[in-house]
């Protein structure tokens, strides 16, 4: 019923419930020592239908659809990113289309992601002529909400690779991280808020940049214990963990990707001792 960084609206909603209980108390002539148990069902009775929803993982393995993670003014949230390949309007010069009320930083992330995919086309078994004959459309859902920030690069790259190869993305995986032209995964902010949002949304595995591993000490223990957290340094590692294939090496035409599989933080792992970077 509230979506805010503070508790002012929460206090108002609690006060509203208390006033309605007091009115019931008077109308029914209840004794002075009467007690009221407030359950979720009664909250809906007093305050009406839920006003806000939080991102929930679809958990279906879908081609071209990836669970991203974002930080808003009121905490972290799941953010789905879709990609599809469509015939170019003039059949001669393919282009990248990005929609969803994104700002310049995210648009640049999309172009960097496409450059990485094109540079790895042969290894990923992607027909290089597609880039001149087809348009790639990337859409960030919740289009009415403006979005910005350097943390969706690997999400867009994964969506593009999935759309171009036809390999579905695991629905129980979410990711966050910026991308370089060479496919390096760059650090981002808001790790704590993003992992809490992933846990709340039913995600089982989260991929984060290797350089953000130090921030895991700030994440609540219940979140770390109930999710597999994979720390990666290159997009090849992201693809190995996110794409739905029996053999991750089969994603690549060459025998092995440019880098090995990412580092996994499992339940009970020792916390890093370095301080959190701001």
């Amino acid at each position: 019923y509230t979506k805010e960084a503070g508790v002012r609206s929460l206090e108002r909603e609690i006060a509203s419930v208390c006033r309605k209980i007091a009115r019931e108390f008077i109308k029914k002539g209840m004794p002075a020592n009467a007690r009221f148990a407030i359950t979720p069902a009664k909250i809906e009775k007093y305050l009406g239908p839920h006003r806000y929803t939080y991102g929930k993982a679809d958990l279906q393995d879908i081609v071209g659809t990836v669970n991203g993670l974002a930080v808003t003014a009121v905490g972290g949230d799941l953010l789905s990113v879709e990609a599809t390949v469509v015939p170019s309007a003039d059949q001669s010069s393919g282009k990248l289309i990005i929609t969803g009320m994104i700002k310049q930083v995210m648009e640049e992330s999309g172009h960097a992601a496409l450059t990485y995919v094109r540079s790895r086309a042969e290894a990923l078994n992607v027909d290089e002529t597609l880039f001149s004959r087809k348009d790639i459309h990337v859409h960030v859902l919740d289009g009415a909400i403006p979005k910005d920030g350097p943390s969706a690069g690997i999400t867009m790259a994964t969506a593009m690779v999935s759309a171009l190869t036809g390999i579905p993305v695991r629905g129980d995986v979410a990711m966050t991280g910026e991308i370089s032209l060479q496919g390096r995964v760059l650090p981002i902010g808001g790790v704590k808020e993003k992992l809490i949002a992933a846990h709340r949304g039913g995600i089982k595995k989260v991929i984060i940049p290797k350089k953000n591993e130090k921030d895991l000490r700030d994440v609540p223990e219940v979140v770390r214990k109930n999710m597999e957290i994979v720390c990666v340094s290159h997009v090849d590692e992201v693809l190995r963990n996110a794409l739905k294939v029996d053999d991750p090496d089969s994603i690549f035409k060459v025998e092995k990707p440019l880098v090995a599989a990412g580092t996994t933080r499992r339940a009970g792992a020792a916390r890093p001792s370095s301080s959190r970077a701001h």
Side-chain angles (χ1 to χ4, degrees):
Y1 292 89
T2 68
K3 203 169 187 180
E4 59 174 349
V7 295
R8 182 176 298 178
S9 293
L10 174 63
E11 290 175 337
R12 289 173 179 166
E13 297 302 332
I14 292 174
S16 177
V17 172
C18 291
R19 286 193 297 271
K20 291 178 180 180
I21 290 175
R23 186 169 59 189
E24 284 188 11
F25 181 92
I26 298 299
K27 282 185 175 180
K28 296 179 180 179
M30 302 181 73
N33 61 349
R35 298 172 63 89
F36 290 84
I38 308 301
T39 65
K42 288 184 179 179
I43 287 292
E44 192 162 340
K45 169 188 172 184
Y46 293 132
L47 299 181
H50 296 176
R51 299 184 195 129
Y52 301 101
T53 59
Y54 291 94
K56 288 287 185 181
D58 195 346
L59 300 182
Q60 292 184 340
D61 306 327
I62 304 174
V63 173
T65 300
V66 186
N67 294 311
L69 293 167
V71 175
T72 69
V74 292
D77 206 356
L78 281 174
L79 193 68
S80 292
V81 175
E82 297 179 340
T84 188
V85 180
V86 296
S88 178
D90 55 13
Q91 294 292 316
S92 60
S93 57
K95 59 184 178 180
L96 175 63
I97 304 168
I98 308 178
T99 55
M101 282 286 285
I102 65 168
K103 296 185 180 180
Q104 184 177 355
V105 174
M106 283 189 70
E107 186 171 354
E108 291 177 352
S109 296
H111 285 282
L114 178 58
T115 297
Y116 157 77
V117 175
R118 293 187 66 174
S119 70
R120 296 284 285 150
E122 182 179 358
L124 292 167
N125 299 297
V126 174
D127 182 0
E128 295 184 49
T129 64
L130 286 176
F131 298 108
S132 61
R133 295 184 293 106
K134 303 284 188 178
D135 291 343
I136 299 177
H137 187 167
V138 176
H139 181 63
V140 185
L141 272 65
D142 293 328
I145 302 174
K147 308 167 192 72
D148 197 15
S151 64
I154 65 171
T155 311
M156 292 183 179
T158 302
M160 291 179 194
V161 171
S162 175
L164 288 164
T165 61
I167 302 174
V169 181
R170 296 180 183 274
D172 60 353
V173 173
M175 62 186 68
T176 180
E178 189 51 287
I179 189 174
S180 76
L181 296 180
Q182 289 79 32
R184 291 182 294 118
V185 180
L186 308 178
I188 43 80
V191 171
K192 175 183 176 181
E193 292 80 3
K194 290 175 180 179
L195 291 183
I196 291 174
H199 178 260
R200 181 180 60 210
I203 294 295
K204 302 301 181 185
K205 178 190 287 188
V206 177
I207 301 170
I208 66 171
K210 176 71 174 176
K211 291 185 178 180
N212 283 115
E213 187 173 11
K214 63 184 183 300
D215 297 320
L216 292 177
R217 70 174 190 172
D218 298 323
V219 179
E221 185 176 0
V222 66
V223 173
R224 289 185 286 109
K225 281 188 173 182
N226 287 280
M227 285 194 309
E228 181 182 358
I229 303 173
V230 182
C231 302
V232 301
S233 57
H234 197 276
V235 182
D236 284 3
E237 301 171 72
V238 177
L239 299 178
R240 289 166 60 87
N241 282 278
L243 296 184
K244 180 74 172 181
V245 289
D246 294 331
D247 178 14
D249 287 333
S250 66
I251 299 169
F252 304 91
K253 184 176 180 180
V254 292
E255 286 189 9
K256 293 182 180 180
L258 293 180
V259 289
T263 302
T264 302
R265 295 268 308 175
R266 297 189 180 275
R271 297 183 180 183
S273 59
S274 59
S275 61
R276 181 178 183 180
H278 294 278

Coordinates of all heavy atoms in Angstrom, one line a residue, residues 55-70 77-84 106 113 117 137-142 147 151-165 167-177 198 203 205-208 235 238-239 241-244:
G55 N 8.2 -6.3 -8.8 CA 8.5 -7.2 -9.9 C 8.6 -8.6 -9.4 O 9.2 -8.9 -8.4
K56 N 8.0 -9.5 -10.1 CA 8.0 -11.0 -9.9 C 8.6 -11.7 -11.1 O 8.2 -11.4 -12.2 CB 6.6 -11.5 -9.5 CG 6.1 -11.1 -8.2 CD 6.8 -11.8 -7.1 CE 6.2 -11.4 -5.7 NZ 6.9 -12.1 -4.6
A57 N 9.5 -12.6 -10.8 CA 10.1 -13.4 -11.9 C 9.0 -14.3 -12.6 O 8.2 -14.9 -11.9 CB 11.2 -14.3 -11.4
D58 N 9.0 -14.3 -13.9 CA 8.1 -15.1 -14.6 C 8.4 -16.6 -14.5 O 7.6 -17.5 -14.5 CB 8.1 -14.7 -16.1 CG 6.9 -15.3 -16.9 OD1 6.2 -16.2 -16.3 OD2 6.6 -14.9 -18.0
L59 N 9.7 -16.9 -14.3 CA 10.3 -18.2 -14.2 C 10.1 -19.1 -15.4 O 10.4 -20.3 -15.3 CB 9.7 -18.9 -12.9 CG 9.9 -18.2 -11.6 CD1 9.3 -19.0 -10.4 CD2 11.4 -17.9 -11.3
Q60 N 9.7 -18.5 -16.5 CA 9.6 -19.3 -17.8 C 10.9 -19.0 -18.6 O 11.4 -17.8 -18.6 CB 8.4 -18.9 -18.6 CG 7.1 -19.3 -17.9 CD 5.9 -19.0 -18.8 OE1 6.0 -18.1 -19.7 NE2 4.8 -19.7 -18.6
D61 N 11.4 -20.0 -19.2 CA 12.6 -19.8 -20.1 C 12.1 -19.3 -21.4 O 11.6 -20.1 -22.2 CB 13.3 -21.2 -20.2 CG 13.7 -21.7 -18.8 OD1 13.9 -21.0 -17.9 OD2 13.7 -23.0 -18.7
I62 N 12.4 -18.1 -21.7 CA 11.9 -17.4 -23.0 C 13.0 -16.9 -23.8 O 14.0 -16.3 -23.3 CB 10.9 -16.3 -22.6 CG1 9.7 -16.8 -21.7 CG2 10.3 -15.6 -23.9 CD1 8.8 -15.7 -21.2
V63 N 12.9 -17.1 -25.1 CA 13.9 -16.5 -26.0 C 13.8 -15.0 -26.0 O 12.8 -14.5 -26.2 CB 13.7 -17.1 -27.4 CG1 14.7 -16.4 -28.4 CG2 14.0 -18.6 -27.4
G64 N 15.0 -14.4 -25.8 CA 15.0 -12.9 -25.9 C 14.5 -12.1 -24.7 O 14.4 -10.9 -24.8
T65 N 14.2 -12.8 -23.6 CA 13.6 -12.1 -22.4 C 14.5 -12.4 -21.2 O 14.8 -13.5 -20.9 CB 12.2 -12.5 -22.1 OG1 11.4 -12.2 -23.2 CG2 11.7 -11.8 -20.9
V66 N 15.0 -11.3 -20.6 CA 16.0 -11.4 -19.5 C 15.5 -10.6 -18.3 O 14.9 -9.5 -18.5 CB 17.4 -10.9 -19.9 CG1 18.4 -11.1 -18.8 CG2 17.8 -11.5 -21.2
N67 N 15.7 -11.1 -17.1 CA 15.4 -10.4 -15.9 C 16.6 -9.5 -15.5 O 17.6 -10.0 -15.2 CB 15.1 -11.4 -14.7 CG 13.9 -12.2 -14.9 OD1 12.8 -11.7 -15.3 ND2 14.0 -13.5 -14.7
G68 N 16.3 -8.2 -15.6 CA 17.3 -7.3 -15.2 C 17.0 -6.8 -13.8 O 16.0 -7.1 -13.2
L69 N 17.9 -6.0 -13.2 CA 17.7 -5.4 -11.9 C 18.0 -4.0 -11.9 O 19.0 -3.5 -12.5 CB 18.7 -6.1 -10.8 CG 18.4 -7.6 -10.6 CD1 19.5 -8.3 -9.8 CD2 17.1 -7.8 -9.8
A70 N 17.2 -3.2 -11.2 CA 17.4 -1.7 -11.2 C 17.2 -1.2 -9.8 O 16.6 -1.9 -8.9 CB 16.4 -1.1 -12.1
D77 N 14.3 -3.2 -7.8 CA 13.1 -3.8 -8.5 C 13.6 -4.7 -9.7 O 14.7 -4.4 -10.2 CB 12.2 -2.8 -9.0 CG 10.7 -3.3 -9.1 OD1 10.5 -4.5 -8.8 OD2 9.8 -2.5 -9.4
L78 N 12.8 -5.7 -10.0 CA 13.1 -6.5 -11.2 C 12.6 -5.7 -12.4 O 11.6 -5.0 -12.4 CB 12.3 -7.8 -11.1 CG 13.0 -8.9 -10.3 CD1 12.0 -10.1 -10.2 CD2 14.3 -9.4 -10.8
L79 N 13.4 -5.8 -13.5 CA 13.1 -5.1 -14.7 C 13.3 -6.0 -15.9 O 14.5 -6.3 -16.2 CB 14.0 -3.8 -14.8 CG 13.7 -2.8 -15.8 CD1 12.3 -2.1 -15.4 CD2 14.8 -1.7 -15.9
S80 N 12.3 -6.4 -16.6 CA 12.4 -7.3 -17.7 C 12.9 -6.5 -19.0 O 12.5 -5.4 -19.3 CB 11.1 -8.0 -18.1 OG 10.8 -8.9 -17.0
V81 N 13.8 -7.2 -19.7 CA 14.4 -6.6 -20.9 C 14.1 -7.6 -22.0 O 14.4 -8.8 -21.9 CB 15.9 -6.3 -20.8 CG1 16.4 -5.9 -22.2 CG2 16.1 -5.3 -19.8
E82 N 13.5 -7.2 -23.1 CA 13.1 -8.1 -24.2 C 13.9 -7.6 -25.5 O 14.2 -6.5 -25.7 CB 11.6 -8.0 -24.6 CG 10.7 -8.5 -23.5 CD 9.3 -8.4 -23.8 OE1 9.0 -7.6 -24.7 OE2 8.5 -9.0 -23.2
A83 N 14.3 -8.6 -26.3 CA 14.9 -8.3 -27.6 C 14.3 -9.2 -28.6 O 14.0 -10.4 -28.4 CB 16.4 -8.6 -27.5
T84 N 14.2 -8.7 -29.8 CA 13.7 -9.5 -30.9 C 14.3 -9.0 -32.2 O 14.8 -7.9 -32.3 CB 12.1 -9.4 -31.1 OG1 11.7 -10.3 -32.0 CG2 11.7 -8.0 -31.5
M106 N 21.7 4.5 -20.7 CA 21.2 3.1 -21.1 C 21.2 2.9 -22.6 O 21.5 1.8 -23.0 CB 19.8 2.9 -20.5 CG 19.7 2.6 -19.0 SD 18.1 2.1 -18.5 CE 18.0 0.5 -19.2
A113 N 26.6 -3.1 -26.1 CA 26.2 -4.5 -26.0 C 26.1 -5.1 -27.4 O 26.6 -6.2 -27.7 CB 24.8 -4.7 -25.3
V117 N 28.3 -8.2 -29.2 CA 27.7 -9.3 -29.9 C 28.2 -9.5 -31.3 O 28.5 -10.6 -31.8 CB 26.1 -9.2 -29.9 CG1 25.5 -10.3 -30.7 CG2 25.6 -9.2 -28.4
H137 N 15.5 -5.0 -32.0 CA 14.6 -4.2 -31.2 C 14.7 -4.6 -29.8 O 14.4 -5.8 -29.4 CB 13.2 -4.2 -31.7 CG 12.3 -3.2 -31.0 ND1 11.0 -2.9 -31.4 CD2 12.5 -2.4 -29.9 CE1 10.5 -2.0 -30.6 NE2 11.4 -1.7 -29.6
V138 N 15.2 -3.7 -28.9 CA 15.3 -4.0 -27.5 C 14.3 -3.1 -26.8 O 14.3 -1.9 -27.0 CB 16.8 -3.7 -26.9 CG1 16.8 -3.9 -25.4 CG2 17.8 -4.6 -27.6
H139 N 13.5 -3.8 -25.9 CA 12.5 -3.0 -25.2 C 12.6 -3.3 -23.7 O 12.7 -4.4 -23.3 CB 11.1 -3.4 -25.6 CG 10.0 -2.7 -24.9 ND1 9.8 -1.3 -25.0 CD2 9.0 -3.1 -24.1 CE1 8.8 -0.9 -24.3 NE2 8.3 -2.0 -23.7
V140 N 12.7 -2.2 -22.9 CA 12.7 -2.3 -21.5 C 11.3 -2.1 -20.9 O 10.7 -1.0 -21.1 CB 13.7 -1.3 -20.9 CG1 13.8 -1.5 -19.4 CG2 15.1 -1.4 -21.5
L141 N 10.8 -3.1 -20.3 CA 9.4 -3.1 -19.9 C 9.1 -2.0 -18.9 O 10.1 -1.4 -18.3 CB 8.9 -4.4 -19.4 CG 8.4 -5.4 -20.4 CD1 9.5 -5.8 -21.4 CD2 7.8 -6.6 -19.8
D142 N 7.8 -1.7 -18.6 CA 7.4 -0.6 -17.8 C 7.8 0.7 -18.5 O 8.5 1.6 -18.0 CB 8.0 -0.6 -16.4 CG 7.5 -1.7 -15.5 OD1 6.3 -2.1 -15.7 OD2 8.2 -2.2 -14.7
K147 N 14.0 5.6 -17.3 CA 15.0 4.7 -16.8 C 16.4 5.2 -17.2 O 16.6 5.6 -18.4 CB 14.8 3.3 -17.3 CG 13.4 2.7 -17.0 CD 13.2 1.4 -17.8 CE 11.7 1.1 -17.8 NZ 10.9 2.0 -18.6
S151 N 23.8 0.0 -15.8 CA 23.8 -1.3 -15.2 C 23.0 -2.3 -16.0 O 22.8 -3.4 -15.5 CB 23.2 -1.2 -13.8 OG 21.8 -0.8 -13.8
A152 N 22.6 -2.0 -17.2 CA 21.8 -2.9 -18.0 C 22.6 -3.4 -19.2 O 22.0 -4.1 -20.0 CB 20.6 -2.2 -18.5
G153 N 23.9 -3.2 -19.3 CA 24.6 -3.6 -20.5 C 24.6 -5.1 -20.7 O 24.4 -5.6 -21.8
I154 N 24.9 -5.9 -19.6 CA 25.0 -7.3 -19.8 C 23.6 -7.9 -20.0 O 23.4 -9.0 -20.7 CB 25.7 -8.0 -18.6 CG1 24.9 -7.9 -17.3 CG2 27.1 -7.5 -18.5 CD1 25.5 -8.7 -16.2
T155 N 22.6 -7.3 -19.5 CA 21.2 -7.7 -19.6 C 20.8 -7.6 -21.1 O 20.2 -8.5 -21.7 CB 20.2 -6.9 -18.8 OG1 20.7 -6.8 -17.4 CG2 18.9 -7.5 -18.8
M156 N 21.1 -6.4 -21.7 CA 20.8 -6.2 -23.1 C 21.6 -7.2 -24.0 O 21.0 -7.7 -25.0 CB 21.1 -4.8 -23.5 CG 20.2 -3.7 -22.9 SD 20.5 -2.1 -23.4 CE 19.3 -1.1 -22.5
A157 N 22.8 -7.4 -23.7 CA 23.7 -8.3 -24.5 C 23.1 -9.7 -24.5 O 23.0 -10.4 -25.5 CB 25.1 -8.2 -24.0
T158 N 22.7 -10.1 -23.3 CA 22.2 -11.5 -23.2 C 20.9 -11.6 -23.9 O 20.6 -12.6 -24.6 CB 21.9 -11.8 -21.7 OG1 23.2 -11.7 -21.0 CG2 21.4 -13.2 -21.5
A159 N 20.0 -10.6 -23.9 CA 18.8 -10.6 -24.6 C 19.0 -10.7 -26.1 O 18.4 -11.4 -26.9 CB 17.9 -9.4 -24.3
M160 N 20.0 -9.9 -26.6 CA 20.3 -9.9 -28.0 C 20.9 -11.3 -28.5 O 20.4 -11.8 -29.5 CB 21.4 -8.9 -28.3 CG 20.9 -7.4 -28.2 SD 22.3 -6.3 -28.5 CE 21.6 -4.8 -27.9
V161 N 21.8 -11.9 -27.7 CA 22.3 -13.2 -28.1 C 21.3 -14.2 -28.1 O 21.2 -15.0 -29.0 CB 23.5 -13.6 -27.1 CG1 23.9 -15.0 -27.3 CG2 24.7 -12.6 -27.2
S162 N 20.4 -14.2 -27.1 CA 19.2 -15.1 -27.1 C 18.4 -15.0 -28.3 O 18.0 -16.0 -29.0 CB 18.4 -15.0 -25.8 OG 17.3 -15.8 -25.8
A163 N 18.0 -13.7 -28.7 CA 17.2 -13.5 -29.8 C 17.8 -13.9 -31.1 O 17.2 -14.5 -32.0 CB 16.8 -12.0 -29.9
L164 N 19.1 -13.7 -31.2 CA 19.9 -14.1 -32.5 C 20.1 -15.6 -32.6 O 20.2 -16.1 -33.8 CB 21.2 -13.3 -32.5 CG 21.1 -11.8 -32.8 CD1 22.4 -11.1 -32.4 CD2 20.7 -11.5 -34.2
T165 N 20.3 -16.3 -31.5 CA 20.6 -17.7 -31.6 C 19.4 -18.6 -31.4 O 19.4 -19.8 -31.7 CB 21.6 -18.1 -30.5 OG1 21.1 -17.8 -29.2 CG2 22.9 -17.3 -30.7
I167 N 18.3 -19.4 -28.5 CA 18.4 -20.1 -27.2 C 17.7 -19.4 -26.1 O 17.9 -18.2 -25.9 CB 19.9 -20.2 -26.8 CG1 20.7 -20.9 -27.9 CG2 20.1 -21.0 -25.5 CD1 22.2 -21.0 -27.7
P168 N 16.8 -20.0 -25.4 CA 16.0 -19.3 -24.3 C 16.9 -18.9 -23.1 O 18.0 -19.5 -22.9 CB 15.0 -20.3 -23.9 CG 15.5 -21.6 -24.3 CD 16.4 -21.4 -25.5
V169 N 16.5 -17.9 -22.4 CA 17.2 -17.4 -21.2 C 16.5 -18.0 -20.0 O 15.2 -18.1 -19.9 CB 17.1 -15.9 -21.1 CG1 17.9 -15.4 -19.8 CG2 17.7 -15.3 -22.3
R170 N 17.2 -18.5 -19.0 CA 16.6 -19.1 -17.8 C 15.8 -18.0 -17.1 O 16.2 -16.9 -16.8 CB 17.8 -19.6 -16.9 CG 18.6 -20.7 -17.5 CD 19.7 -21.1 -16.5 NE 20.5 -22.2 -17.1 CZ 20.2 -23.5 -17.1 NH1 19.1 -23.9 -16.5 NH2 21.0 -24.3 -17.6
G171 N 14.6 -18.4 -16.8 CA 13.6 -17.5 -16.1 C 13.9 -17.2 -14.7 O 13.4 -16.3 -14.1
D172 N 14.7 -18.1 -14.0 CA 15.0 -17.9 -12.6 C 16.3 -17.2 -12.4 O 16.8 -17.2 -11.3 CB 15.0 -19.3 -11.9 CG 16.0 -20.3 -12.4 OD1 16.6 -19.9 -13.5 OD2 16.2 -21.3 -11.8
V173 N 16.9 -16.6 -13.4 CA 18.1 -15.9 -13.4 C 17.9 -14.4 -13.6 O 17.1 -14.0 -14.5 CB 19.1 -16.4 -14.4 CG1 20.4 -15.6 -14.4 CG2 19.5 -17.9 -14.1
A174 N 18.5 -13.6 -12.8 CA 18.5 -12.1 -13.0 C 20.0 -11.7 -13.0 O 20.9 -12.4 -12.5 CB 17.7 -11.4 -11.9
M175 N 20.2 -10.5 -13.6 CA 21.6 -10.0 -13.7 C 21.6 -8.5 -13.7 O 20.6 -7.8 -13.9 CB 22.2 -10.5 -15.0 CG 21.5 -10.0 -16.2 SD 22.1 -10.8 -17.7 CE 21.5 -12.5 -17.5
T176 N 22.8 -8.0 -13.3 CA 23.1 -6.5 -13.4 C 24.6 -6.3 -13.6 O 25.4 -7.1 -13.1 CB 22.7 -5.8 -12.1 OG1 22.9 -4.4 -12.2 CG2 23.4 -6.4 -10.8
G177 N 24.9 -5.4 -14.4 CA 26.3 -5.1 -14.8 C 26.4 -4.3 -16.0 O 25.6 -4.5 -17.0
A198 N 15.6 -9.1 -6.1 CA 15.7 -10.4 -6.8 C 15.1 -11.5 -5.9 O 14.3 -12.4 -6.3 CB 17.1 -10.8 -7.2
I203 N 13.7 -15.0 -7.7 CA 14.9 -15.3 -8.4 C 15.8 -16.3 -7.7 O 15.9 -16.2 -6.5 CB 15.7 -14.1 -8.8 CG1 14.9 -13.2 -9.7 CG2 17.0 -14.4 -9.4 CD1 14.6 -13.8 -11.1
K205 N 19.0 -17.4 -9.0 CA 20.4 -17.1 -9.3 C 20.6 -15.7 -9.8 O 19.8 -15.2 -10.6 CB 21.0 -18.0 -10.4 CG 22.4 -17.8 -10.8 CD 22.9 -18.6 -12.0 CE 23.1 -20.0 -11.7 NZ 23.7 -20.8 -12.9
V206 N 21.6 -14.9 -9.3 CA 21.8 -13.6 -9.7 C 23.3 -13.4 -10.1 O 24.2 -14.0 -9.5 CB 21.6 -12.6 -8.5 CG1 21.9 -11.1 -9.0 CG2 20.1 -12.6 -8.1
I207 N 23.5 -12.8 -11.3 CA 24.8 -12.6 -11.8 C 25.2 -11.1 -11.6 O 24.4 -10.2 -12.0 CB 24.8 -12.9 -13.3 CG1 24.4 -14.3 -13.6 CG2 26.2 -12.6 -13.9 CD1 24.1 -14.7 -15.0
I208 N 26.3 -10.9 -10.9 CA 26.8 -9.5 -10.7 C 28.2 -9.4 -11.1 O 28.9 -10.4 -11.3 CB 26.7 -9.2 -9.2 CG1 27.6 -10.0 -8.3 CG2 25.2 -9.3 -8.7 CD1 27.7 -9.6 -6.9
V235 N 31.3 -11.1 -20.3 CA 30.0 -11.5 -20.8 C 29.9 -12.9 -21.2 O 28.8 -13.5 -21.0 CB 29.5 -10.6 -21.9 CG1 28.1 -10.9 -22.3 CG2 29.6 -9.1 -21.5
V238 N 28.5 -14.7 -18.4 CA 27.1 -14.4 -18.2 C 26.3 -15.3 -19.0 O 25.3 -15.9 -18.6 CB 26.8 -12.9 -18.6 CG1 25.3 -12.6 -18.4 CG2 27.6 -11.9 -17.7
L239 N 26.7 -15.5 -20.3 CA 26.0 -16.3 -21.2 C 26.0 -17.8 -20.7 O 25.0 -18.5 -20.9 CB 26.5 -16.2 -22.6 CG 26.5 -14.8 -23.3 CD1 27.2 -14.9 -24.6 CD2 25.1 -14.3 -23.3
N241 N 26.0 -18.9 -17.8 CA 25.1 -19.0 -16.6 C 23.6 -18.7 -16.9 O 22.8 -19.1 -16.2 CB 25.6 -18.1 -15.5 CG 26.8 -18.7 -14.8 OD1 26.7 -19.6 -13.9 ND2 28.0 -18.2 -15.1
A242 N 23.4 -17.9 -18.0 CA 22.0 -17.4 -18.2 C 21.3 -18.2 -19.3 O 20.0 -18.3 -19.2 CB 22.0 -16.0 -18.5
L243 N 21.9 -18.7 -20.3 CA 21.3 -19.3 -21.4 C 20.9 -20.8 -21.0 O 21.7 -21.5 -20.4 CB 22.1 -19.3 -22.7 CG 22.4 -17.9 -23.2 CD1 23.2 -18.0 -24.5 CD2 21.1 -17.1 -23.4
K244 N 19.7 -21.2 -21.5 CA 19.2 -22.5 -21.2 C 19.7 -23.6 -22.2 O 19.2 -23.8 -23.2 CB 17.7 -22.5 -21.3 CG 17.0 -23.8 -20.9 CD 17.0 -24.1 -19.5 CE 16.1 -25.3 -19.2 NZ 16.1 -25.7 -17.7

